[in-house]
Structures are given as structure tokens and as C-alpha cells.
Amino acid sequence: PEQAWYMGGAFNILMGGILPFGAIFIELFFIMTSIWLQRFYYVFGFLMLVLLILVITCSEISIVLCYFQLCNEDYHWWWRSFLTSGSSGLYLFAYSIMYFYTQLEITNPIPTMIYFGYMAVGALVFFLITGTVGFYSSWQFVWTIYSAVKVD
């Protein structure tokens, strides 16, 4: 059936990445500062807590948007559940661009390429990890709700 504009794929994917990124962006500043500005990072217990919050947030946002999609009779949830929470990698890369212009004082082209190359790889890995968490949580959710359906 015809879907509302806010149930479209691109809108859901872009909006789905905001919450997982919002769960980590404060801690991301300290991690990037320790990597690129040679500062010490020693709050690993808090980092594990933020990682747990990230996993829970990715799972919840993927499950909620998958549920809305299934309620609107759109059963093509596989890739969208992956891309929904995985789109936080795009926000991570956008944050790295902002961090480059506001915190770093790199003017030469080679260090700039190295920075953006490493941040692109990091954003891609983050995209794959959060997307995988979102997909497996949506898959478990769909498996659970459809296994409860009784057909006589």
C-alpha cells in the first residue's frame, strides 16, 4: 500500500542513525582527542557503559522502526533494519569533518588525507557494527512475533 512520506526508506534511515550517534558523541570527542591530539584516555569503565548504551539504542531504534514498517504492511525490513542503525556511521563521519575544522590545526594535504582516510575507515567499521546490531535485533524481534502466530 501507499506509505506516508515519513515512512519512506531514506527518511527512516537518516532519522534512525541520530539516536545511536547521540548516545556516543560526547565520549567520541574524548576518544578522538586522545587519538589525534595525543591526550590520555583513562575512563575505560565509562567507555564500556557507553558501548552498552550504544548497543541498546541501536537495538531499540531498529526494532521500533521495523515494527512501524511491518504495521504499514511493508515487509521488506531486512536491509532497512541494517541501514537504520548503521546510518550512525554517516553521522560519525560528519562529526569527524566538524572535529577537523574546529579542533585540529592541520594545514598540509597529506596529513589531511591521512586523517580523512582513517576516519572514513572508522566510520565504515562503525556503520557495519551498528548495522549488524540493528539487523540481528530486528531479526530476533520479527522471529519472535511471527513465531507467536498460530495458524489453525
Side-chain angles (χ1 to χ4, degrees):
E2 188 67 28
Q3 303 291 324
W5 65 270
Y6 54 85
M7 288 305 296
F11 184 77
N12 274 344
I13 289 168
L14 289 176
M15 290 301 113
I18 290 176
L19 281 176
F21 177 74
I24 63 149
F25 85 97
I26 299 285
E27 197 65 25
L28 186 64
F29 172 79
F30 295 115
I31 292 170
M32 289 178 67
T33 301
S34 69
I35 292 172
W36 297 110
L37 295 177
Q38 290 84 31
R39 302 271 162 66
F40 289 111
Y41 184 81
Y42 46 84
V43 197
F44 293 107
F46 189 68
L47 181 64
M48 291 302 116
L49 179 66
V50 169
L51 178 67
L52 179 67
I53 291 171
L54 174 68
V55 169
I56 291 170
T57 306
C58 286
S59 297
E60 286 179 346
I61 195 70
S62 289
I63 288 171
V64 167
L65 290 177
C66 180
Y67 177 72
F68 287 157
Q69 184 178 352
L70 292 174
C71 285
N72 285 322
E73 298 178 6
D74 185 5
Y75 299 105
H76 304 288
W77 62 270
W78 294 78
W79 279 106
R80 195 181 291 185
S81 67
F82 180 78
L83 295 173
T84 295
S85 59
S87 66
S88 57
L90 297 173
Y91 291 104
L92 176 71
F93 190 71
Y95 181 76
S96 71
I97 293 171
M98 188 206 66
Y99 186 84
F100 179 79
Y101 287 112
T102 59
Q103 299 294 322
L104 301 178
E105 296 175 0
I106 299 174
T107 56
N108 296 330
I110 299 299
T112 301
M113 289 188 331
I114 289 172
Y115 172 79
F116 283 115
Y118 276 124
M119 291 311 297
V121 169
L124 178 65
V125 168
F126 189 72
F127 171 80
L128 292 173
I129 290 171
T130 55
T132 303
V133 168
F135 171 74
Y136 279 125
S137 60
S138 294
W139 181 72
Q140 183 66 39
F141 170 72
V142 170
W143 182 265
T144 302
I145 64 171
Y146 281 118
S147 66
V149 174
K150 302 288 184 195
V151 178
D152 290 331

